[in-house]
Amino acid sequence: MDKKDKIIEAALKLFVENGFHGTATSKIAQEAGVANGTLFQYFKTKDELVMALYVSVKENMAEYIEKNTAKSDNVKEVMKSQFLSSLFWALDNVVKFKFIQQFHTSPYIGKVEQDVIQNQVMPHLSLIQNGIDKGLIKNLPVDFVFSLISSQTFGVYQYLTSKPFTKVQQHDTIEQTFDLLWDMIT
Amino acid sequence: MDKKDKIIEAALKLFVENGFHGTATSKIAQEAGVANGTLFQYFKTKDELVMALYVSVKENMAEYIEKNTAKSDNVKEVMKSQFLSSLFWALDNVVKFKFIQQFHTSPYIGKVEQDVIQNQVMPHLSLIQNGIDKGLIKNLPVDFVFSLISSQTFGVYQYLTSKPFTKVQQHDTIEQTFDLLWDMIT
DNA sequence: TACCTTTGCGACTGATTAGTCAATTATAAA
DNA sequence: TTTATAATTGACTAATCAGTCGCAAAGGTA
């Protein structure tokens, strides 16, 4: 594993543990096992490191979901597979998911370019629009429906990480939530 | 307005603008128009200030919701009034609400004592349990239902602050969301 | 007036910060 | 082996940080 990845990994761990503040670049370098100066060879500033970390984590998540999305034109099936895989990824990558949450509610989020966000959300909005056009999903604003689904995902995650559950319980709860969600929007 | 309130107000503004990191105590004192040392007369440490700010904002929100909660034994009515007033408060106090979100996803949340959180959540859990006992709400784990409602609140907030809406549109969307939510859990 | 207490002040400090840079080491090509 | 290039180092710096402290002002009481 090369130094850049080691730095990213160390930063992720420390940011979630101590916040963006409270994490000195020197501590990141130390945790990564590289010299202070090496960090700045890969990332010009601390902010650049934070942004790069966000992009890296988001790509990682998107890749997983993409791979596990049902290849079908059945809207419900596609949506369910996305809902499930989002949650599976989150539960398997708690630290990364915490970082995303932390980043989203921090002032850094304002520095992410609008079209990058747009590109990530677009496929989901299209899928919802598709469902509405087919008369499956209620005729509500697409991004309103998207907000509901996103927050629902977040809600189940919160619940499932608040107590110790078995894999089976987690799976069942996720399936059950999707059914509730689907009933709500159709 | 006394110095303590001015400090809290300044801290709130700067924390949301620049994060907990990136906000120096000296900057807070400056923004509040008090001397550096005065800040430490009211709050022994920066952490104590952050915690006090959280408690203050939470109390402010709880007070508002309490005042606007329907005095009735009709579960739906009570729940609806709480859902609405939560969102009205959030939309009227965007900065404070952002601070709460930032705090909740930061490592600071771990420093809030468990029984304080418990006390805040308890009344809501009782209400849900009440609804389940009466056979109104589906027989699901209480805190699961609570998670769903909380995240739904958050979702509508996200949607309503992402675009410019009129007061009427906001009100309608909130009412509509509650109906969807109620259908989902009953 | 005199006396006491509370409140506020801001210059100060030791520690820590993000970021630099000249020197060193590894890599690879000739 | 020699030479050129790239990667890595850690001591260093100027700036900034949270927090301190001795002193002054304000306010209350008699």
Side-chain angles (χ1 to χ4, degrees), chain B residues 148-178:
Chain B
L148 293 185
I149 298 175
S150 307
S151 60
Q152 201 82 322
T153 312
F154 180 75
V156 195
Y157 170 83
Q158 289 284 87
Y159 174 66
L160 289 177
T161 50
S162 68
K163 294 209 191 79
F165 288 108
T166 65
K167 285 268 169 200
V168 178
Q169 286 175 318
Q170 286 185 344
H171 199 286
D172 287 352
T173 305
I174 295 173
E175 291 250 5
Q176 195 176 14
T177 313
F178 181 78

PDB file of all heavy atoms in Angstrom, chain B residues 148-178:
ATOM      1  N   LEU B 148     -37.559   6.565  12.601  1.00  0.00           N
ATOM      2  CA  LEU B 148     -38.207   6.879  11.326  1.00  0.00           C
ATOM      3  C   LEU B 148     -38.776   8.302  11.340  1.00  0.00           C
ATOM      4  O   LEU B 148     -38.597   9.062  10.391  1.00  0.00           O
ATOM      5  CB  LEU B 148     -39.330   5.881  11.030  1.00  0.00           C
ATOM      6  CG  LEU B 148     -38.913   4.437  10.748  1.00  0.00           C
ATOM      7  CD1 LEU B 148     -40.128   3.606  10.357  1.00  0.00           C
ATOM      8  CD2 LEU B 148     -37.870   4.377   9.645  1.00  0.00           C
ATOM      9  N   ILE B 149     -39.447   8.643  12.438  1.00  0.00           N
ATOM     10  CA  ILE B 149     -40.047   9.979  12.525  1.00  0.00           C
ATOM     11  C   ILE B 149     -38.969  11.070  12.527  1.00  0.00           C
ATOM     12  O   ILE B 149     -39.060  12.058  11.798  1.00  0.00           O
ATOM     13  CB  ILE B 149     -40.919  10.101  13.792  1.00  0.00           C
ATOM     14  CG1 ILE B 149     -42.079   9.101  13.729  1.00  0.00           C
ATOM     15  CG2 ILE B 149     -41.463  11.518  13.939  1.00  0.00           C
ATOM     16  CD1 ILE B 149     -42.921   9.047  14.981  1.00  0.00           C
ATOM     17  N   SER B 150     -37.932  10.846  13.333  1.00  0.00           N
ATOM     18  CA  SER B 150     -36.852  11.831  13.413  1.00  0.00           C
ATOM     19  C   SER B 150     -36.218  12.065  12.053  1.00  0.00           C
ATOM     20  O   SER B 150     -36.006  13.209  11.636  1.00  0.00           O
ATOM     21  CB  SER B 150     -35.755  11.354  14.359  1.00  0.00           C
ATOM     22  OG  SER B 150     -36.300  11.015  15.596  1.00  0.00           O
ATOM     23  N   SER B 151     -35.924  10.970  11.364  1.00  0.00           N
ATOM     24  CA  SER B 151     -35.233  11.122  10.091  1.00  0.00           C
ATOM     25  C   SER B 151     -36.146  11.765   9.052  1.00  0.00           C
ATOM     26  O   SER B 151     -35.695  12.540   8.211  1.00  0.00           O
ATOM     27  CB  SER B 151     -34.707   9.780   9.591  1.00  0.00           C
ATOM     28  OG  SER B 151     -35.770   8.879   9.417  1.00  0.00           O
ATOM     29  N   GLN B 152     -37.428  11.456   9.163  1.00  0.00           N
ATOM     30  CA  GLN B 152     -38.389  12.087   8.267  1.00  0.00           C
ATOM     31  C   GLN B 152     -38.391  13.606   8.475  1.00  0.00           C
ATOM     32  O   GLN B 152     -38.378  14.374   7.512  1.00  0.00           O
ATOM     33  CB  GLN B 152     -39.788  11.526   8.559  1.00  0.00           C
ATOM     34  CG  GLN B 152     -40.752  11.703   7.428  1.00  0.00           C
ATOM     35  CD  GLN B 152     -40.564  10.599   6.395  1.00  0.00           C
ATOM     36  OE1 GLN B 152     -39.447  10.161   6.106  1.00  0.00           O
ATOM     37  NE2 GLN B 152     -41.653  10.147   5.836  1.00  0.00           N
ATOM     38  N   THR B 153     -38.401  14.016   9.722  1.00  0.00           N
ATOM     39  CA  THR B 153     -38.340  15.440  10.061  1.00  0.00           C
ATOM     40  C   THR B 153     -37.122  16.075   9.397  1.00  0.00           C
ATOM     41  O   THR B 153     -37.217  17.111   8.732  1.00  0.00           O
ATOM     42  CB  THR B 153     -38.212  15.630  11.594  1.00  0.00           C
ATOM     43  OG1 THR B 153     -39.169  14.814  12.239  1.00  0.00           O
ATOM     44  CG2 THR B 153     -38.405  17.078  11.976  1.00  0.00           C
ATOM     45  N   PHE B 154     -36.003  15.398   9.575  1.00  0.00           N
ATOM     46  CA  PHE B 154     -34.757  15.873   9.002  1.00  0.00           C
ATOM     47  C   PHE B 154     -34.847  15.959   7.473  1.00  0.00           C
ATOM     48  O   PHE B 154     -34.397  16.944   6.869  1.00  0.00           O
ATOM     49  CB  PHE B 154     -33.643  14.925   9.424  1.00  0.00           C
ATOM     50  CG  PHE B 154     -32.309  15.299   8.898  1.00  0.00           C
ATOM     51  CD1 PHE B 154     -31.603  16.364   9.432  1.00  0.00           C
ATOM     52  CD2 PHE B 154     -31.749  14.579   7.843  1.00  0.00           C
ATOM     53  CE1 PHE B 154     -30.356  16.714   8.932  1.00  0.00           C
ATOM     54  CE2 PHE B 154     -30.500  14.924   7.344  1.00  0.00           C
ATOM     55  CZ  PHE B 154     -29.805  15.992   7.886  1.00  0.00           C
ATOM     56  N   GLY B 155     -35.445  14.939   6.866  1.00  0.00           N
ATOM     57  CA  GLY B 155     -35.574  14.898   5.410  1.00  0.00           C
ATOM     58  C   GLY B 155     -36.378  16.059   4.855  1.00  0.00           C
ATOM     59  O   GLY B 155     -35.976  16.683   3.865  1.00  0.00           O
ATOM     60  N   VAL B 156     -37.508  16.347   5.474  1.00  0.00           N
ATOM     61  CA  VAL B 156     -38.341  17.460   4.995  1.00  0.00           C
ATOM     62  C   VAL B 156     -37.586  18.776   5.162  1.00  0.00           C
ATOM     63  O   VAL B 156     -37.631  19.643   4.297  1.00  0.00           O
ATOM     64  CB  VAL B 156     -39.673  17.576   5.781  1.00  0.00           C
ATOM     65  CG1 VAL B 156     -40.636  18.479   5.037  1.00  0.00           C
ATOM     66  CG2 VAL B 156     -40.280  16.235   6.014  1.00  0.00           C
ATOM     67  N   TYR B 157     -36.879  18.889   6.281  1.00  0.00           N
ATOM     68  CA  TYR B 157     -36.092  20.102   6.519  1.00  0.00           C
ATOM     69  C   TYR B 157     -35.083  20.305   5.397  1.00  0.00           C
ATOM     70  O   TYR B 157     -34.983  21.401   4.826  1.00  0.00           O
ATOM     71  CB  TYR B 157     -35.369  20.020   7.861  1.00  0.00           C
ATOM     72  CG  TYR B 157     -34.366  21.120   8.063  1.00  0.00           C
ATOM     73  CD1 TYR B 157     -34.757  22.366   8.514  1.00  0.00           C
ATOM     74  CD2 TYR B 157     -33.017  20.917   7.766  1.00  0.00           C
ATOM     75  CE1 TYR B 157     -33.833  23.394   8.679  1.00  0.00           C
ATOM     76  CE2 TYR B 157     -32.087  21.935   7.933  1.00  0.00           C
ATOM     77  CZ  TYR B 157     -32.501  23.162   8.389  1.00  0.00           C
ATOM     78  OH  TYR B 157     -31.593  24.172   8.540  1.00  0.00           O
ATOM     79  N   GLN B 158     -34.370  19.244   5.071  1.00  0.00           N
ATOM     80  CA  GLN B 158     -33.380  19.307   3.993  1.00  0.00           C
ATOM     81  C   GLN B 158     -34.027  19.798   2.690  1.00  0.00           C
ATOM     82  O   GLN B 158     -33.493  20.659   2.014  1.00  0.00           O
ATOM     83  CB  GLN B 158     -32.771  17.923   3.735  1.00  0.00           C
ATOM     84  CG  GLN B 158     -31.861  17.423   4.813  1.00  0.00           C
ATOM     85  CD  GLN B 158     -30.497  18.082   4.786  1.00  0.00           C
ATOM     86  OE1 GLN B 158     -30.312  19.144   5.383  1.00  0.00           O
ATOM     87  NE2 GLN B 158     -29.553  17.465   4.091  1.00  0.00           N
ATOM     88  N   TYR B 159     -35.174  19.187   2.375  1.00  0.00           N
ATOM     89  CA  TYR B 159     -35.867  19.541   1.132  1.00  0.00           C
ATOM     90  C   TYR B 159     -36.317  20.990   1.138  1.00  0.00           C
ATOM     91  O   TYR B 159     -36.102  21.722   0.177  1.00  0.00           O
ATOM     92  CB  TYR B 159     -37.069  18.617   0.935  1.00  0.00           C
ATOM     93  CG  TYR B 159     -37.940  18.994  -0.242  1.00  0.00           C
ATOM     94  CD1 TYR B 159     -37.460  18.906  -1.541  1.00  0.00           C
ATOM     95  CD2 TYR B 159     -39.249  19.443  -0.046  1.00  0.00           C
ATOM     96  CE1 TYR B 159     -38.255  19.249  -2.628  1.00  0.00           C
ATOM     97  CE2 TYR B 159     -40.056  19.785  -1.119  1.00  0.00           C
ATOM     98  CZ  TYR B 159     -39.554  19.689  -2.409  1.00  0.00           C
ATOM     99  OH  TYR B 159     -40.338  20.045  -3.475  1.00  0.00           O
ATOM    100  N   LEU B 160     -36.893  21.413   2.250  1.00  0.00           N
ATOM    101  CA  LEU B 160     -37.470  22.767   2.316  1.00  0.00           C
ATOM    102  C   LEU B 160     -36.416  23.870   2.356  1.00  0.00           C
ATOM    103  O   LEU B 160     -36.706  25.031   2.040  1.00  0.00           O
ATOM    104  CB  LEU B 160     -38.398  22.892   3.527  1.00  0.00           C
ATOM    105  CG  LEU B 160     -39.716  22.126   3.423  1.00  0.00           C
ATOM    106  CD1 LEU B 160     -40.515  22.264   4.709  1.00  0.00           C
ATOM    107  CD2 LEU B 160     -40.542  22.608   2.227  1.00  0.00           C
ATOM    108  N   THR B 161     -35.201  23.532   2.755  1.00  0.00           N
ATOM    109  CA  THR B 161     -34.149  24.545   2.788  1.00  0.00           C
ATOM    110  C   THR B 161     -33.260  24.493   1.544  1.00  0.00           C
ATOM    111  O   THR B 161     -32.372  25.320   1.389  1.00  0.00           O
ATOM    112  CB  THR B 161     -33.256  24.386   4.040  1.00  0.00           C
ATOM    113  OG1 THR B 161     -32.820  23.037   4.153  1.00  0.00           O
ATOM    114  CG2 THR B 161     -34.004  24.769   5.298  1.00  0.00           C
ATOM    115  N   SER B 162     -33.527  23.497   0.680  1.00  0.00           N
ATOM    116  CA  SER B 162     -32.690  23.367  -0.522  1.00  0.00           C
ATOM    117  C   SER B 162     -33.143  24.316  -1.626  1.00  0.00           C
ATOM    118  O   SER B 162     -32.397  24.606  -2.547  1.00  0.00           O
ATOM    119  CB  SER B 162     -32.720  21.930  -1.033  1.00  0.00           C
ATOM    120  OG  SER B 162     -34.015  21.615  -1.531  1.00  0.00           O
ATOM    121  N   LYS B 163     -34.362  24.773  -1.529  1.00  0.00           N
ATOM    122  CA  LYS B 163     -34.917  25.681  -2.551  1.00  0.00           C
ATOM    123  C   LYS B 163     -35.712  26.780  -1.859  1.00  0.00           C
ATOM    124  O   LYS B 163     -36.111  26.630  -0.707  1.00  0.00           O
ATOM    125  CB  LYS B 163     -35.873  24.899  -3.466  1.00  0.00           C
ATOM    126  CG  LYS B 163     -35.231  23.838  -4.325  1.00  0.00           C
ATOM    127  CD  LYS B 163     -36.045  23.668  -5.613  1.00  0.00           C
ATOM    128  CE  LYS B 163     -35.626  22.446  -6.380  1.00  0.00           C
ATOM    129  NZ  LYS B 163     -36.193  21.204  -5.822  1.00  0.00           N
ATOM    130  N   PRO B 164     -35.956  27.896  -2.560  1.00  0.00           N
ATOM    131  CA  PRO B 164     -36.788  28.945  -1.935  1.00  0.00           C
ATOM    132  C   PRO B 164     -38.268  28.586  -2.039  1.00  0.00           C
ATOM    133  O   PRO B 164     -38.793  28.427  -3.139  1.00  0.00           O
ATOM    134  CB  PRO B 164     -36.460  30.193  -2.770  1.00  0.00           C
ATOM    135  CG  PRO B 164     -35.905  29.707  -4.057  1.00  0.00           C
ATOM    136  CD  PRO B 164     -35.520  28.266  -3.912  1.00  0.00           C
ATOM    137  N   PHE B 165     -38.898  28.424  -0.893  1.00  0.00           N
ATOM    138  CA  PHE B 165     -40.328  28.132  -0.863  1.00  0.00           C
ATOM    139  C   PHE B 165     -41.064  29.238  -0.114  1.00  0.00           C
ATOM    140  O   PHE B 165     -40.478  29.883   0.770  1.00  0.00           O
ATOM    141  CB  PHE B 165     -40.601  26.802  -0.145  1.00  0.00           C
ATOM    142  CG  PHE B 165     -40.181  25.587  -0.922  1.00  0.00           C
ATOM    143  CD1 PHE B 165     -39.078  24.849  -0.536  1.00  0.00           C
ATOM    144  CD2 PHE B 165     -40.902  25.187  -2.034  1.00  0.00           C
ATOM    145  CE1 PHE B 165     -38.683  23.725  -1.236  1.00  0.00           C
ATOM    146  CE2 PHE B 165     -40.515  24.052  -2.749  1.00  0.00           C
ATOM    147  CZ  PHE B 165     -39.406  23.328  -2.353  1.00  0.00           C
ATOM    148  N   THR B 166     -42.320  29.435  -0.433  1.00  0.00           N
ATOM    149  CA  THR B 166     -43.134  30.375   0.343  1.00  0.00           C
ATOM    150  C   THR B 166     -43.562  29.690   1.636  1.00  0.00           C
ATOM    151  O   THR B 166     -43.529  28.457   1.740  1.00  0.00           O
ATOM    152  CB  THR B 166     -44.400  30.799  -0.429  1.00  0.00           C
ATOM    153  OG1 THR B 166     -45.233  29.639  -0.601  1.00  0.00           O
ATOM    154  CG2 THR B 166     -44.044  31.371  -1.790  1.00  0.00           C
ATOM    155  N   LYS B 167     -43.978  30.506   2.597  1.00  0.00           N
ATOM    156  CA  LYS B 167     -44.456  29.970   3.874  1.00  0.00           C
ATOM    157  C   LYS B 167     -45.576  28.951   3.651  1.00  0.00           C
ATOM    158  O   LYS B 167     -45.631  27.906   4.302  1.00  0.00           O
ATOM    159  CB  LYS B 167     -44.985  31.117   4.758  1.00  0.00           C
ATOM    160  CG  LYS B 167     -43.889  31.982   5.373  1.00  0.00           C
ATOM    161  CD  LYS B 167     -43.464  31.478   6.748  1.00  0.00           C
ATOM    162  CE  LYS B 167     -42.206  32.203   7.203  1.00  0.00           C
ATOM    163  NZ  LYS B 167     -41.477  31.474   8.248  1.00  0.00           N
ATOM    164  N   VAL B 168     -46.473  29.297   2.705  1.00  0.00           N
ATOM    165  CA  VAL B 168     -47.624  28.429   2.432  1.00  0.00           C
ATOM    166  C   VAL B 168     -47.168  27.086   1.872  1.00  0.00           C
ATOM    167  O   VAL B 168     -47.633  26.022   2.306  1.00  0.00           O
ATOM    168  CB  VAL B 168     -48.602  29.123   1.449  1.00  0.00           C
ATOM    169  CG1 VAL B 168     -49.773  28.207   1.131  1.00  0.00           C
ATOM    170  CG2 VAL B 168     -49.085  30.453   2.013  1.00  0.00           C
ATOM    171  N   GLN B 169     -46.216  27.143   0.929  1.00  0.00           N
ATOM    172  CA  GLN B 169     -45.692  25.907   0.347  1.00  0.00           C
ATOM    173  C   GLN B 169     -45.033  25.046   1.416  1.00  0.00           C
ATOM    174  O   GLN B 169     -45.226  23.824   1.466  1.00  0.00           O
ATOM    175  CB  GLN B 169     -44.652  26.238  -0.742  1.00  0.00           C
ATOM    176  CG  GLN B 169     -45.259  26.754  -2.035  1.00  0.00           C
ATOM    177  CD  GLN B 169     -44.185  27.184  -3.029  1.00  0.00           C
ATOM    178  OE1 GLN B 169     -43.202  27.825  -2.649  1.00  0.00           O
ATOM    179  NE2 GLN B 169     -44.370  26.838  -4.280  1.00  0.00           N
ATOM    180  N   GLN B 170     -44.266  25.714   2.278  1.00  0.00           N
ATOM    181  CA  GLN B 170     -43.607  24.987   3.365  1.00  0.00           C
ATOM    182  C   GLN B 170     -44.639  24.287   4.231  1.00  0.00           C
ATOM    183  O   GLN B 170     -44.538  23.094   4.512  1.00  0.00           O
ATOM    184  CB  GLN B 170     -42.788  25.961   4.228  1.00  0.00           C
ATOM    185  CG  GLN B 170     -41.506  26.437   3.558  1.00  0.00           C
ATOM    186  CD  GLN B 170     -40.659  27.302   4.470  1.00  0.00           C
ATOM    187  OE1 GLN B 170     -41.147  27.796   5.482  1.00  0.00           O
ATOM    188  NE2 GLN B 170     -39.413  27.494   4.109  1.00  0.00           N
ATOM    189  N   HIS B 171     -45.657  25.058   4.625  1.00  0.00           N
ATOM    190  CA  HIS B 171     -46.697  24.532   5.497  1.00  0.00           C
ATOM    191  C   HIS B 171     -47.382  23.330   4.858  1.00  0.00           C
ATOM    192  O   HIS B 171     -47.566  22.289   5.499  1.00  0.00           O
ATOM    193  CB  HIS B 171     -47.711  25.638   5.812  1.00  0.00           C
ATOM    194  CG  HIS B 171     -48.530  25.358   7.024  1.00  0.00           C
ATOM    195  ND1 HIS B 171     -49.546  24.418   7.032  1.00  0.00           N
ATOM    196  CD2 HIS B 171     -48.492  25.865   8.280  1.00  0.00           C
ATOM    197  CE1 HIS B 171     -50.101  24.380   8.231  1.00  0.00           C
ATOM    198  NE2 HIS B 171     -49.472  25.244   9.012  1.00  0.00           N
ATOM    199  N   ASP B 172     -47.723  23.465   3.579  1.00  0.00           N
ATOM    200  CA  ASP B 172     -48.409  22.386   2.877  1.00  0.00           C
ATOM    201  C   ASP B 172     -47.547  21.128   2.801  1.00  0.00           C
ATOM    202  O   ASP B 172     -48.029  20.016   3.036  1.00  0.00           O
ATOM    203  CB  ASP B 172     -48.785  22.839   1.455  1.00  0.00           C
ATOM    204  CG  ASP B 172     -49.934  23.836   1.467  1.00  0.00           C
ATOM    205  OD1 ASP B 172     -50.525  24.045   2.557  1.00  0.00           O
ATOM    206  OD2 ASP B 172     -50.234  24.415   0.408  1.00  0.00           O
ATOM    207  N   THR B 173     -46.270  21.335   2.462  1.00  0.00           N
ATOM    208  CA  THR B 173     -45.365  20.194   2.347  1.00  0.00           C
ATOM    209  C   THR B 173     -45.238  19.463   3.678  1.00  0.00           C
ATOM    210  O   THR B 173     -45.236  18.227   3.731  1.00  0.00           O
ATOM    211  CB  THR B 173     -43.970  20.650   1.874  1.00  0.00           C
ATOM    212  OG1 THR B 173     -44.105  21.386   0.663  1.00  0.00           O
ATOM    213  CG2 THR B 173     -43.049  19.470   1.656  1.00  0.00           C
ATOM    214  N   ILE B 174     -45.141  20.232   4.751  1.00  0.00           N
ATOM    215  CA  ILE B 174     -45.007  19.625   6.071  1.00  0.00           C
ATOM    216  C   ILE B 174     -46.249  18.808   6.432  1.00  0.00           C
ATOM    217  O   ILE B 174     -46.162  17.667   6.881  1.00  0.00           O
ATOM    218  CB  ILE B 174     -44.727  20.714   7.138  1.00  0.00           C
ATOM    219  CG1 ILE B 174     -43.369  21.372   6.872  1.00  0.00           C
ATOM    220  CG2 ILE B 174     -44.744  20.116   8.539  1.00  0.00           C
ATOM    221  CD1 ILE B 174     -43.066  22.574   7.745  1.00  0.00           C
ATOM    222  N   GLU B 175     -47.419  19.403   6.193  1.00  0.00           N
ATOM    223  CA  GLU B 175     -48.680  18.687   6.470  1.00  0.00           C
ATOM    224  C   GLU B 175     -48.754  17.392   5.660  1.00  0.00           C
ATOM    225  O   GLU B 175     -49.090  16.329   6.184  1.00  0.00           O
ATOM    226  CB  GLU B 175     -49.878  19.577   6.084  1.00  0.00           C
ATOM    227  CG  GLU B 175     -50.064  20.792   6.968  1.00  0.00           C
ATOM    228  CD  GLU B 175     -51.308  20.666   7.861  1.00  0.00           C
ATOM    229  OE1 GLU B 175     -51.947  19.593   7.840  1.00  0.00           O
ATOM    230  OE2 GLU B 175     -51.621  21.650   8.570  1.00  0.00           O
ATOM    231  N   GLN B 176     -48.408  17.534   4.389  1.00  0.00           N
ATOM    232  CA  GLN B 176     -48.462  16.394   3.472  1.00  0.00           C
ATOM    233  C   GLN B 176     -47.519  15.272   3.930  1.00  0.00           C
ATOM    234  O   GLN B 176     -47.871  14.093   3.910  1.00  0.00           O
ATOM    235  CB  GLN B 176     -48.033  16.884   2.083  1.00  0.00           C
ATOM    236  CG  GLN B 176     -48.371  15.933   0.953  1.00  0.00           C
ATOM    237  CD  GLN B 176     -47.997  16.542  -0.392  1.00  0.00           C
ATOM    238  OE1 GLN B 176     -47.263  17.552  -0.452  1.00  0.00           O
ATOM    239  NE2 GLN B 176     -48.476  15.952  -1.465  1.00  0.00           N
ATOM    240  N   THR B 177     -46.329  15.693   4.370  1.00  0.00           N
ATOM    241  CA  THR B 177     -45.354  14.706   4.826  1.00  0.00           C
ATOM    242  C   THR B 177     -45.857  13.989   6.059  1.00  0.00           C
ATOM    243  O   THR B 177     -45.670  12.782   6.218  1.00  0.00           O
ATOM    244  CB  THR B 177     -44.006  15.365   5.153  1.00  0.00           C
ATOM    245  OG1 THR B 177     -43.642  16.245   4.103  1.00  0.00           O
ATOM    246  CG2 THR B 177     -42.927  14.325   5.337  1.00  0.00           C
ATOM    247  N   PHE B 178     -46.508  14.756   6.939  1.00  0.00           N
ATOM    248  CA  PHE B 178     -47.022  14.090   8.144  1.00  0.00           C
ATOM    249  C   PHE B 178     -48.051  13.031   7.783  1.00  0.00           C
ATOM    250  O   PHE B 178     -48.054  11.939   8.356  1.00  0.00           O
ATOM    251  CB  PHE B 178     -47.620  15.075   9.140  1.00  0.00           C
ATOM    252  CG  PHE B 178     -48.124  14.377  10.373  1.00  0.00           C
ATOM    253  CD1 PHE B 178     -47.235  13.952  11.357  1.00  0.00           C
ATOM    254  CD2 PHE B 178     -49.488  14.095  10.527  1.00  0.00           C
ATOM    255  CE1 PHE B 178     -47.694  13.266  12.473  1.00  0.00           C
ATOM    256  CE2 PHE B 178     -49.943  13.406  11.645  1.00  0.00           C
ATOM    257  CZ  PHE B 178     -49.044  12.999  12.626  1.00  0.00           C
TER     258      PHE B 178
END
